[in-house]
Amino acid sequence: QVQVVESGGGSVQPGGSLRLSCAASGSIISINSMGWYRQAPAKERELVATITSSLSTNVVDSVKGRFTISRDNAKNTVYLQMNSLTPEDTAVYYCNADIKYKRAYYSTTKNFWGQGTQVTVSS
């Protein structure tokens, strides 16, 4: 039906950059909010940034000025550009999306999570 798949994680040195991508696919009618969350070892999952279908963004203070969220509605894809990375940014990053999609005889809206992509910042 619908899949949400992240890519772009990896290992980088402090001060480096990474760009995460998350693509939604399937019988999609529309996508409202898309966002990124992260979960560091032994910590709860936390919000990083969100973006609406009208491209209104919200970025948490801890990454503001370093991370940028963007979106390509035509491709059902959301991006997270991460600059000036620090070891504190090390976490599994998850994509989240509110997706309206077609079922056999009706449409419905559901919140989807990706499988997560590891980001490791270390010297």
PDB file of all heavy atoms in Angstrom, residues 54-69:
ATOM      1  N   SER A  54       2.221  22.912   2.551  1.00  0.00           N
ATOM      2  CA  SER A  54       2.404  24.279   2.057  1.00  0.00           C
ATOM      3  C   SER A  54       3.798  24.804   2.351  1.00  0.00           C
ATOM      4  O   SER A  54       4.060  25.996   2.185  1.00  0.00           O
ATOM      5  CB  SER A  54       1.347  25.208   2.669  1.00  0.00           C
ATOM      6  OG  SER A  54       1.445  25.195   4.077  1.00  0.00           O
ATOM      7  N   LEU A  55       4.695  23.923   2.812  1.00  0.00           N
ATOM      8  CA  LEU A  55       6.115  24.193   3.024  1.00  0.00           C
ATOM      9  C   LEU A  55       6.392  25.079   4.225  1.00  0.00           C
ATOM     10  O   LEU A  55       7.442  25.713   4.317  1.00  0.00           O
ATOM     11  CB  LEU A  55       6.759  24.773   1.757  1.00  0.00           C
ATOM     12  CG  LEU A  55       6.567  23.959   0.478  1.00  0.00           C
ATOM     13  CD1 LEU A  55       7.330  24.591  -0.674  1.00  0.00           C
ATOM     14  CD2 LEU A  55       6.984  22.516   0.680  1.00  0.00           C
ATOM     15  N   SER A  56       5.473  25.102   5.166  1.00  0.00           N
ATOM     16  CA  SER A  56       5.725  25.764   6.433  1.00  0.00           C
ATOM     17  C   SER A  56       6.554  24.830   7.304  1.00  0.00           C
ATOM     18  O   SER A  56       6.223  23.650   7.457  1.00  0.00           O
ATOM     19  CB  SER A  56       4.412  26.100   7.124  1.00  0.00           C
ATOM     20  OG  SER A  56       4.644  26.662   8.392  1.00  0.00           O
ATOM     21  N   THR A  57       7.637  25.344   7.877  1.00  0.00           N
ATOM     22  CA  THR A  57       8.566  24.491   8.613  1.00  0.00           C
ATOM     23  C   THR A  57       8.624  24.820  10.097  1.00  0.00           C
ATOM     24  O   THR A  57       8.324  25.938  10.529  1.00  0.00           O
ATOM     25  CB  THR A  57       9.990  24.606   8.033  1.00  0.00           C
ATOM     26  OG1 THR A  57      10.460  25.948   8.209  1.00  0.00           O
ATOM     27  CG2 THR A  57      10.020  24.242   6.565  1.00  0.00           C
ATOM     28  N   ASN A  58       9.021  23.811  10.849  1.00  0.00           N
ATOM     29  CA  ASN A  58       9.280  23.958  12.274  1.00  0.00           C
ATOM     30  C   ASN A  58      10.541  23.165  12.584  1.00  0.00           C
ATOM     31  O   ASN A  58      10.621  21.972  12.263  1.00  0.00           O
ATOM     32  CB  ASN A  58       8.110  23.427  13.105  1.00  0.00           C
ATOM     33  CG  ASN A  58       8.407  23.460  14.582  1.00  0.00           C
ATOM     34  OD1 ASN A  58       8.838  24.473  15.108  1.00  0.00           O
ATOM     35  ND2 ASN A  58       8.199  22.345  15.266  1.00  0.00           N
ATOM     36  N   VAL A  59      11.526  23.827  13.174  1.00  0.00           N
ATOM     37  CA  VAL A  59      12.804  23.186  13.501  1.00  0.00           C
ATOM     38  C   VAL A  59      13.074  23.419  14.978  1.00  0.00           C
ATOM     39  O   VAL A  59      12.955  24.550  15.465  1.00  0.00           O
ATOM     40  CB  VAL A  59      13.953  23.767  12.648  1.00  0.00           C
ATOM     41  CG1 VAL A  59      15.265  23.098  12.998  1.00  0.00           C
ATOM     42  CG2 VAL A  59      13.646  23.621  11.165  1.00  0.00           C
ATOM     43  N   VAL A  60      13.435  22.373  15.694  1.00  0.00           N
ATOM     44  CA  VAL A  60      13.660  22.513  17.129  1.00  0.00           C
ATOM     45  C   VAL A  60      14.919  23.336  17.384  1.00  0.00           C
ATOM     46  O   VAL A  60      15.845  23.383  16.565  1.00  0.00           O
ATOM     47  CB  VAL A  60      13.761  21.151  17.827  1.00  0.00           C
ATOM     48  CG1 VAL A  60      12.470  20.380  17.670  1.00  0.00           C
ATOM     49  CG2 VAL A  60      14.945  20.352  17.320  1.00  0.00           C
ATOM     50  N   ASP A  61      14.955  23.965  18.537  1.00  0.00           N
ATOM     51  CA  ASP A  61      16.030  24.908  18.861  1.00  0.00           C
ATOM     52  C   ASP A  61      17.413  24.253  18.839  1.00  0.00           C
ATOM     53  O   ASP A  61      18.394  24.900  18.462  1.00  0.00           O
ATOM     54  CB  ASP A  61      15.783  25.537  20.230  1.00  0.00           C
ATOM     55  CG  ASP A  61      14.635  26.529  20.207  1.00  0.00           C
ATOM     56  OD1 ASP A  61      14.229  26.955  19.102  1.00  0.00           O
ATOM     57  OD2 ASP A  61      14.136  26.877  21.302  1.00  0.00           O
ATOM     58  N   SER A  62      17.501  22.998  19.240  1.00  0.00           N
ATOM     59  CA  SER A  62      18.805  22.348  19.355  1.00  0.00           C
ATOM     60  C   SER A  62      19.515  22.185  18.008  1.00  0.00           C
ATOM     61  O   SER A  62      20.739  22.015  17.970  1.00  0.00           O
ATOM     62  CB  SER A  62      18.659  20.986  20.032  1.00  0.00           C
ATOM     63  OG  SER A  62      17.807  20.146  19.283  1.00  0.00           O
ATOM     64  N   VAL A  63      18.785  22.239  16.909  1.00  0.00           N
ATOM     65  CA  VAL A  63      19.397  22.080  15.587  1.00  0.00           C
ATOM     66  C   VAL A  63      19.150  23.291  14.687  1.00  0.00           C
ATOM     67  O   VAL A  63      19.630  23.322  13.545  1.00  0.00           O
ATOM     68  CB  VAL A  63      18.896  20.808  14.877  1.00  0.00           C
ATOM     69  CG1 VAL A  63      19.141  19.584  15.754  1.00  0.00           C
ATOM     70  CG2 VAL A  63      17.426  20.921  14.509  1.00  0.00           C
ATOM     71  N   LYS A  64      18.437  24.283  15.203  1.00  0.00           N
ATOM     72  CA  LYS A  64      18.118  25.460  14.396  1.00  0.00           C
ATOM     73  C   LYS A  64      19.403  26.160  13.961  1.00  0.00           C
ATOM     74  O   LYS A  64      20.327  26.329  14.759  1.00  0.00           O
ATOM     75  CB  LYS A  64      17.231  26.410  15.203  1.00  0.00           C
ATOM     76  CG  LYS A  64      16.555  27.483  14.373  1.00  0.00           C
ATOM     77  CD  LYS A  64      15.470  28.182  15.193  1.00  0.00           C
ATOM     78  CE  LYS A  64      14.304  27.280  15.463  1.00  0.00           C
ATOM     79  NZ  LYS A  64      13.200  27.962  16.180  1.00  0.00           N
ATOM     80  N   GLY A  65      19.451  26.532  12.685  1.00  0.00           N
ATOM     81  CA  GLY A  65      20.645  27.163  12.148  1.00  0.00           C
ATOM     82  C   GLY A  65      21.649  26.168  11.595  1.00  0.00           C
ATOM     83  O   GLY A  65      22.574  26.557  10.876  1.00  0.00           O
ATOM     84  N   ARG A  66      21.486  24.892  11.920  1.00  0.00           N
ATOM     85  CA  ARG A  66      22.382  23.847  11.405  1.00  0.00           C
ATOM     86  C   ARG A  66      21.640  22.867  10.482  1.00  0.00           C
ATOM     87  O   ARG A  66      22.214  22.397   9.514  1.00  0.00           O
ATOM     88  CB  ARG A  66      23.017  23.064  12.556  1.00  0.00           C
ATOM     89  CG  ARG A  66      23.825  23.914  13.502  1.00  0.00           C
ATOM     90  CD  ARG A  66      24.585  23.033  14.510  1.00  0.00           C
ATOM     91  NE  ARG A  66      23.679  22.261  15.358  1.00  0.00           N
ATOM     92  CZ  ARG A  66      23.675  20.920  15.419  1.00  0.00           C
ATOM     93  NH1 ARG A  66      24.520  20.205  14.688  1.00  0.00           N
ATOM     94  NH2 ARG A  66      22.834  20.283  16.234  1.00  0.00           N
ATOM     95  N   PHE A  67      20.395  22.578  10.808  1.00  0.00           N
ATOM     96  CA  PHE A  67      19.602  21.631  10.030  1.00  0.00           C
ATOM     97  C   PHE A  67      18.530  22.385   9.245  1.00  0.00           C
ATOM     98  O   PHE A  67      17.934  23.340   9.761  1.00  0.00           O
ATOM     99  CB  PHE A  67      18.907  20.624  10.936  1.00  0.00           C
ATOM    100  CG  PHE A  67      19.805  19.635  11.612  1.00  0.00           C
ATOM    101  CD1 PHE A  67      21.186  19.777  11.617  1.00  0.00           C
ATOM    102  CD2 PHE A  67      19.251  18.529  12.242  1.00  0.00           C
ATOM    103  CE1 PHE A  67      22.002  18.868  12.253  1.00  0.00           C
ATOM    104  CE2 PHE A  67      20.051  17.600  12.882  1.00  0.00           C
ATOM    105  CZ  PHE A  67      21.427  17.767  12.895  1.00  0.00           C
ATOM    106  N   THR A  68      18.286  21.922   8.024  1.00  0.00           N
ATOM    107  CA  THR A  68      17.238  22.497   7.189  1.00  0.00           C
ATOM    108  C   THR A  68      16.358  21.386   6.651  1.00  0.00           C
ATOM    109  O   THR A  68      16.865  20.408   6.088  1.00  0.00           O
ATOM    110  CB  THR A  68      17.846  23.285   6.018  1.00  0.00           C
ATOM    111  OG1 THR A  68      18.709  24.315   6.520  1.00  0.00           O
ATOM    112  CG2 THR A  68      16.752  23.928   5.173  1.00  0.00           C
ATOM    113  N   ILE A  69      15.049  21.544   6.818  1.00  0.00           N
ATOM    114  CA  ILE A  69      14.103  20.583   6.267  1.00  0.00           C
ATOM    115  C   ILE A  69      13.496  21.171   5.002  1.00  0.00           C
ATOM    116  O   ILE A  69      13.192  22.368   4.949  1.00  0.00           O
ATOM    117  CB  ILE A  69      13.014  20.205   7.295  1.00  0.00           C
ATOM    118  CG1 ILE A  69      12.164  19.049   6.770  1.00  0.00           C
ATOM    119  CG2 ILE A  69      12.165  21.416   7.680  1.00  0.00           C
ATOM    120  CD1 ILE A  69      11.236  18.450   7.826  1.00  0.00           C
TER     121      ILE A  69
END
